[in-house]
Amino acid sequence: MSARTCPCGVSEPYEACCGRFHTGAVAAPTAEALMRSRYSAFVRRDAAYLLRTWHPRTRPATLDLDAGTRWAGLEILDTTGGSAFHTTGTVTFRASYRGGSLHERSRFERVDGAWVYIDGEFLTT
């Protein structure tokens, strides 16, 4: 991955991919796009974006991101729903970091037309 390539794994520059969601210029159009942008926010330690895209019902008051975590890649394993025609969706993914990986099925919902993260279920690999 080059310095300009988006951390989410799409072969686009960060500014044209997740960066535009992080700045608030546009909202993620699908649950998968939101999932990818949230992964990129973890990579870039953008807690404000993560909190902004978290469902108000399940959002923590604060978010402390571990500066020592070195994210190494995102693999989307499955999606259900989550398109422009849905109000809910799930994204199953594996996010790798130096020393391990996180395997999760995340739930998303539209709130006021925008996709937000509700919660996730950790899966065993």
Side-chain angles (χ1 to χ4, degrees), residues 21-77:
F21 304 137
H22 292 173
T23 63
V26 294
T30 65
E32 181 180 333
L34 182 64
M35 169 57 234
R36 288 181 177 280
S37 72
R38 286 177 57 84
Y39 171 81
S40 291
F42 274 102
V43 171
R44 298 176 65 91
R45 292 193 286 281
D46 185 348
Y49 179 78
L50 292 165
L51 290 169
R52 193 167 68 245
T53 58
W54 211 309
H55 197 289
R57 186 176 71 238
T58 57
R59 178 188 310 134
T62 61
L63 189 59
D64 294 320
L65 301 177
D66 183 355
T69 302
R70 297 290 176 249
W71 295 101
L74 176 66
E75 180 184 5
I76 302 297
L77 304 172

Side-chain angles (χ1 to χ4, degrees), residues 13-125:
Y14 166 75
E15 293 77 14
C17 194
C18 294
R20 62 198 171 117
F21 304 137
H22 292 173
T23 63
V26 294
T30 65
E32 181 180 333
L34 182 64
M35 169 57 234
R36 288 181 177 280
S37 72
R38 286 177 57 84
Y39 171 81
S40 291
F42 274 102
V43 171
R44 298 176 65 91
R45 292 193 286 281
D46 185 348
Y49 179 78
L50 292 165
L51 290 169
R52 193 167 68 245
T53 58
W54 211 309
H55 197 289
R57 186 176 71 238
T58 57
R59 178 188 310 134
T62 61
L63 189 59
D64 294 320
L65 301 177
D66 183 355
T69 302
R70 297 290 176 249
W71 295 101
L74 176 66
E75 180 184 5
I76 302 297
L77 304 172
D78 189 40
T79 61
T80 57
S83 77
F85 304 105
H86 298 102
T87 56
T88 62
T90 64
V91 179
T92 304
F93 67 93
R94 182 174 294 109
S96 300
Y97 56 89
R98 191 176 301 151
S101 67
L102 169 72
H103 189 190
E104 180 178 313
R105 181 178 304 113
S106 295
R107 295 187 315 136
F108 298 88
E109 182 178 301
R110 281 189 189 272
V111 173
D112 297 329
W115 286 106
V116 292
Y117 170 80
I118 299 172
D119 58 19
E121 172 190 2
F122 293 115
L123 305 171
T124 57
T125 52

